[in-house]
Amino acid sequence: MITSDAITWNAPNDPHPARAASQRSYSAVAKGDLAEWLTVYAEDAVLEDPVGPSMFDPEGRGHRGHEGITAFWYQAIAPIARFEFEINDSFANPGSNTCANIGRIRTSFPDGSHTTTDLIMVYVVDDDGRVVSMRAYWEPDRTMASFTQA
């Protein structure tokens, strides 16, 4: 399911539906393809990235449905020049609809500066393998402390 060289997958890689959805999501983000990214998410999905109040979601209630997820894309993803994903572990019980991935994301800005975010991402999928909930656990202050000028 990984279709981008910007993803390093050092984790179990069996065909679990939530794990496959997470890989499709990372691939679409790495390619900058909003239309492809939306196909990963159910129409009524909720995306929390990060979980709780943040600069992307001041009330901490999550981005809801394709409209909210699209708004999040333009706020948090579109301004980034390059994403590099490194997934170091992934937990998904057989027969479940959930996986939790542990990794880091390096975001590079158009001027060459960058940050690194260490995080845990939890994906829940429906019977069709589309994400109904994505919750990313990371701390914005820790990410901003990693900011490196070009």
Side-chain angles (χ1 to χ4, degrees):
M1 300 311 302
I2 295 173
T3 60
S4 171
D5 65 355
I7 302 167
T8 303
W9 191 269
N10 301 317
N13 200 22
D14 62 278
H16 188 280
R19 186 173 285 140
S22 74
Q23 292 173 340
R24 289 193 315 272
S25 177
Y26 304 148
S27 293
V29 168
K31 292 188 288 186
D33 190 333
L34 171 59
E36 181 179 328
W37 194 55
L38 288 174
T39 69
V40 176
Y41 287 84
E43 296 291 331
D44 60 348
V46 178
L47 181 143
E48 297 173 77
D49 188 356
V51 171
S54 73
M55 63 286 218
F56 303 127
D57 181 15
E59 294 179 9
R61 294 190 295 163
H63 308 277
R64 298 177 178 278
H66 279 196
E67 183 178 329
I69 292 169
T70 297
F72 172 79
W73 175 280
Y74 285 111
Q75 184 180 21
I77 296 173
I80 305 301
R82 179 168 169 81
F83 285 91
E84 297 171 76
F85 296 87
E86 178 183 332
I87 305 303
N88 294 311
D89 215 340
S90 180
F91 299 91
N93 279 346
S96 74
N97 66 342
T98 304
C99 82
N101 297 335
I102 299 172
R104 79 178 7 170
I105 302 171
R106 178 181 163 125
T107 53
S108 298
F109 300 94
D111 67 0
S113 61
H114 59 87
T115 62
T116 300
T117 303
D118 292 305
L119 72 169
I120 299 169
M121 296 158 284
V122 178
Y123 290 82
V124 180
V125 297
D126 61 18
D127 290 340
D128 295 323
R130 294 181 75 194
V131 175
V132 295
S133 171
M134 195 291 276
R135 303 183 87 202
Y137 296 86
W138 58 279
E139 297 175 12
D141 289 346
R142 287 174 59 176
T143 295
M144 293 313 297
S146 76
F147 181 80
T148 304
Q149 287 285 1

